[in-house]
Amino acid sequence: MEDYIKYIRSLVGHKEIMAVAVCGLIINEKEEVLLETRSDNLKFSFPGGALNMGEKIIDGLYREIKEETGIDLSLINNKNINLFGIYSGEKGKFVYPNSDITYYTDIVFLIKVNSKDIEIKEHDDESLNISFYSFNDINLENMVTFDKEILIDYFINKYNGVVIK
């Protein structure tokens, strides 16, 4: 089933729901991170999104990254795509401008890329801009909550294994 969230919303309206999402912590050779500026709240976030009914996690990751950035992960060496962490709980609450409320469980993948080997294209209306940023150039207060926590886990806490929160 495509667009699972849209289907669920047709049944429950704006009521709170839970969803499983995937996202890519995409890091280039300069240790810069790929962030999108969301069109709905103008905050920085990682490319990604909710899984569809019956969709495999890895297929959802490949689909979401392709839709939002144009990057084809099937062209990236598999050893450069690894589970980074699973984030859940109250910090996963996301209130959309139309009053939809979703609690996300985010499955985050660390994806190492060489900027010369990828071409970034904005493919959907969910983002206004997609660019690589150094950690010091990012305003953490202008980030989606989970993504802020993920960045801190990677750059400050010096990621050394799968994070489960």
Side-chain angles (χ1 to χ4, degrees), residues 31-125:
E31 280 295 299
E32 296 171 325
V33 60
L34 187 67
L35 295 173
E36 65 181 359
T37 304
R38 295 178 59 94
S39 61
D40 58 2
N41 63 11
L42 305 179
K43 292 191 177 221
F44 283 130
S45 72
F46 301 120
L51 293 176
N52 290 319
M53 184 69 78
E55 186 173 36
K56 290 182 179 182
I57 292 168
I58 197 68
D59 293 342
L61 177 70
Y62 279 47
R63 176 183 54 77
E64 284 289 342
I65 298 298
K66 180 81 171 171
E67 286 174 3
E68 295 189 8
T69 69
I71 297 171
D72 185 349
L73 291 182
S74 68
L75 303 176
I76 305 291
N77 187 324
N78 281 346
K79 72 178 182 171
N80 293 330
I81 303 172
N82 294 288
L83 179 62
F84 178 83
I86 301 170
Y87 291 74
S88 60
E90 190 65 33
K91 290 182 182 178
K93 181 180 181 180
F94 196 91
V95 180
Y96 289 90
N98 68 353
S99 298
D100 286 354
I101 300 172
T102 305
Y103 284 83
Y104 285 102
T105 296
D106 277 357
I107 303 170
V108 184
F109 288 85
L110 176 61
I111 304 165
K112 297 282 192 153
V113 299
N114 187 318
S115 299
K116 296 176 204 130
D117 296 338
I118 60 170
E119 185 177 346
I120 299 170
K121 298 177 185 175
E122 296 175 30
H123 280 274
D124 63 18
D125 59 358

Side-chain angles (χ1 to χ4, degrees), residues 1-2 13 22 41 62-63 102 107 117 135 137 148 159:
M1 170 185 299
E2 287 191 34
V22 291
N41 63 11
Y62 279 47
R63 176 183 54 77
T102 305
I107 303 170
D117 296 338
F135 180 74
D137 292 335
K148 174 182 175 179
Y159 164 78

Side-chain angles (χ1 to χ4, degrees), residues 1-19:
M1 170 185 299
E2 287 191 34
D3 207 343
Y4 176 69
I5 299 296
K6 188 175 183 177
Y7 167 72
I8 291 297
R9 287 287 172 210
S10 74
L11 300 174
V12 302
H14 298 295
K15 293 180 184 175
E16 295 177 337
I17 64 170
M18 290 186 66

